[in-house]
Amino acid sequence: MKVAVVGATGLVGTKMLQVLAERNFPVTELVPVASERSVGKEVEFKGKKYKVVSMADGIAAKPAVAIFSAGGSTSLEWAPKFAEAGIRVIDNSSAWRMDPTKKLVVPEVNASVLTGNDYIIANPNCSTIQMVVALQPLHARYKIKRVVVSTYQSVTGTGKKAVDQLFNERKGVKGDMAYKYQIDLNVIPQIDVFLDNGYTKEEMKMVNETKKIMQDDSIRVTATTVRIPVVGGHSESVNVEFENDFDLNEVQQLLSAAPGVIVENNDAELLYPMPLNAHERDEVFVGRLRRDETQPKTLNMWIVSDNLRKGAATNAVQIAEYLLSKSILS
């Protein structure tokens, strides 16, 4: 199968190549695509070098699927052109997520919405992906009424420039700033731009995407998203109110049995999810399971995942794997 990775030289694009190789996706020929300034550079995939090509050449190569990680404006311009050429597009930007004509997919939650008519498929926001993977089995059993989430998001969510900023600050070196403020030894309670309602775009992504993925507009979500000086892995403190009461042991059993979830929940052994341990893993880690003692039918939980993998690259590759399993990709 001929596979294009659009944005192949970027942080997420590089991770997509890694995940495609690790999961043995049946790539017979790789088509690495990037901006004009990267054309002609080489990327390595499974021990073989491939030359980066332009967008137009990427379409001309006629891959079966193109996995995009090239930013929203690029996706808006080029994803339809790939789709018109009969190429399935799985897009990691925010460009198509809330388009009512496009599916927003986390395979463990709602892969079944995909059909042969879907040529542009949206990959959700990283912080939303890990949350809904953990929420879905609980929603199916107890029905979620309301979610209050605060995130602790790593600098890789911003990109290489932010990683460089963190390490430059740690070494006392002046360099390019991805953020307005110092990130080392600091916490920045802003991810993406502010909107008229006082929330950031990232916060509203979590609100809107959760409802769309879980196919339930009655779920109320409120979010505060925060950038912390961690290189990789997003963490979330999530407070969930249900319509029906729950048993904590059953909650743990449901999560343990859920696809893509690993429960780390043992207070006596100080076992709980941390971004350091989620690094380079595809699963969503859940722990600190406890009742909210201030109101009934409400659970507190802590959710951690590698944002470049399950939060981006792995989720996109899993969508491609699902399309393949249903003979939508061939």
Side-chain angles (χ1 to χ4, degrees):
M1 180 175 294
K2 200 181 280 190
V3 176
V5 173
V6 180
T9 57
L11 207 55
V12 175
T14 304
K15 190 61 66 176
M16 282 172 175
L17 295 176
Q18 180 189 333
V19 171
L20 283 165
E22 285 176 5
R23 294 177 75 91
N24 284 314
F25 192 81
V27 180
T28 53
E29 185 184 338
L30 178 74
V31 183
V33 181
S35 63
E36 291 297 333
R37 68 178 178 274
S38 295
V39 169
K41 287 183 181 175
E42 288 187 335
V43 299
E44 193 171 313
F45 180 74
K46 286 194 164 182
K48 193 175 169 187
K49 292 199 186 304
Y50 294 85
K51 270 199 165 36
V52 173
V53 301
S54 68
M55 290 289 190
D57 287 345
I59 295 171
K62 286 272 194 273
V65 61
I67 305 177
F68 269 64
S69 184
S73 57
T74 302
S75 292
L76 283 171
E77 181 184 355
W78 286 98
K81 293 176 182 176
F82 275 76
E84 281 160 19
I87 302 160
R88 307 268 173 192
V89 172
I90 301 167
D91 180 50
N92 195 55
S93 79
S94 61
W96 304 100
R97 290 177 189 158
M98 295 314 298
D99 184 324
T101 67
K102 305 293 183 286
K103 309 287 173 57
L104 182 65
V105 176
V106 176
E108 295 91 337
V109 180
N110 68 333
S112 60
V113 301
L114 291 169
T115 72
N117 296 322
D118 295 312
Y119 276 86
I120 298 177
I121 301 159
N123 209 36
N125 184 41
C126 47
S127 49
T128 308
I129 289 174
Q130 67 186 69
M131 186 171 76
V132 298
V133 167
L135 290 182
Q136 178 62 22
L138 304 182
H139 183 51
R141 177 71 178 85
Y142 308 116
K143 189 156 176 36
I144 293 171
K145 285 174 69 177
R146 183 171 185 252
V147 177
V148 181
V149 54
S150 296
T151 71
Y152 306 71
Q153 294 178 229
S154 66
V155 293
T156 47
T158 306
K160 184 179 182 300
K161 188 175 178 181
V163 177
D164 291 343
Q165 179 184 332
L166 174 62
F167 281 112
N168 281 339
E169 289 168 352
R170 200 150 283 186
K171 292 182 290 193
V173 174
K174 284 225 178 289
D176 286 345
M177 301 276 284
Y179 307 114
K180 181 180 178 181
Y181 301 103
Q182 175 180 321
I183 185 62
D184 190 32
L185 302 175
N186 195 21
V187 164
I188 302 173
Q190 177 197 349
I191 297 178
D192 214 324
V193 296
F194 281 102
L195 303 172
D196 290 344
N197 64 356
Y199 287 80
T200 66
K201 206 169 171 186
E202 181 87 354
E203 289 159 354
M204 293 314 297
K205 284 177 194 173
M206 294 195 76
V207 173
N208 298 321
E209 291 179 24
T210 299
K211 295 177 181 187
K212 183 171 178 178
I213 297 161
M214 298 183 77
Q215 302 172 72
D216 191 338
D217 283 338
S218 73
I219 299 173
R220 292 174 295 153
V221 183
T222 187
T224 302
T225 57
V226 180
R227 191 70 69 192
I228 63 169
V230 165
V231 175
H234 290 352
S235 306
E236 298 171 348
S237 172
V238 184
N239 179 273
V240 195
E241 182 186 357
F242 299 102
E243 279 195 11
N244 304 301
D245 207 0
F246 59 87
D247 173 79
L248 269 178
N249 288 328
E250 186 183 46
V251 165
Q252 181 148 335
Q253 287 165 10
L254 288 167
L255 288 167
S256 297
V261 174
I262 291 179
V263 175
E264 294 183 332
N265 187 58
N266 189 322
D267 298 347
E269 294 182 12
L270 307 185
L271 179 66
Y272 32 69
M274 295 183 291
L276 206 58
N277 297 339
H279 182 63
E280 289 294 355
R281 299 285 297 273
D282 286 331
E283 301 87 356
V284 172
F285 296 82
V286 184
R288 296 297 319 278
L289 299 168
R290 61 213 188 275
R291 279 189 177 274
D292 180 340
E293 296 184 340
T294 66
Q295 66 172 18
K297 304 176 189 174
T298 304
L299 175 74
N300 280 309
M301 59 201 299
W302 178 251
I303 304 170
V304 176
S305 192
D306 185 320
N307 54 294
L308 291 185
R309 290 187 68 102
K310 183 55 186 166
T314 300
N315 198 75
V317 174
Q318 285 176 309
I319 292 171
E321 288 170 346
Y322 179 85
L323 296 175
L324 194 60
S325 74
K326 297 297 177 184
S327 301
I328 296 169
L329 260 189
S330 57

